[in-house]
Amino acid sequence: MNNVEELVIELKVKIIETLGLIDVNPEDLKDDAPLVGGDMGIDSIDVLELVMMIEKDYGVKIENKELGVKVFASVRALATHIFNNQRQKG
């Protein structure tokens, strides 16, 4: 991953796949719109699924609710958190 913008695009696809969002395209997810409690109807169970996907795919843990609230504020916030905390592969 070279930058946060690339990660935003990748995450949109993974969020849709992970949550099985039907009739949702990556461009439907706005970079800065609220992820939880926003237009997508993402709830706490969905957030748990996303936390597990992020840990598995990126090696980034979201260890408490306070951090989760910040991280899941938007796709961009999530991408920024992963980008800044991802273990360097290689």
Side-chain angles (χ1 to χ4, degrees):
M1 220 30 64
N2 295 325
N3 61 44
V4 171
E5 294 308 313
E6 284 182 20
L7 191 52
V8 164
I9 294 164
E10 182 178 298
L11 277 171
K12 288 180 180 185
V13 173
K14 288 190 180 220
I15 289 167
I16 291 166
E17 287 175 355
T18 300
L19 301 182
L21 300 175
I22 299 164
D23 297 330
V24 177
N25 297 310
E27 56 274 10
D28 295 335
L29 291 173
K30 304 294 178 239
D31 296 359
D32 298 305
L35 256 182
V36 180
D39 295 340
M40 305 307 332
I42 294 173
D43 62 19
S44 56
I45 310 263
D46 296 329
V47 169
L48 283 176
E49 289 186 45
L50 292 175
V51 166
M52 290 188 298
M53 177 272 289
I54 291 160
E55 198 168 318
K56 182 169 82 60
D57 292 2
Y58 299 102
V60 174
K61 288 185 177 355
I62 298 166
E63 291 166 334
N64 59 55
K65 189 173 180 187
E66 290 74 26
L67 179 59
V69 168
K70 283 187 211 146
V71 170
F72 287 105
S74 67
V75 177
R76 186 180 307 283
L78 181 58
T80 301
H81 178 76
I82 292 170
F83 189 78
N84 290 336
N85 293 280
Q86 194 169 22
R87 283 190 224 115
Q88 297 303 317
K89 292 189 170 115

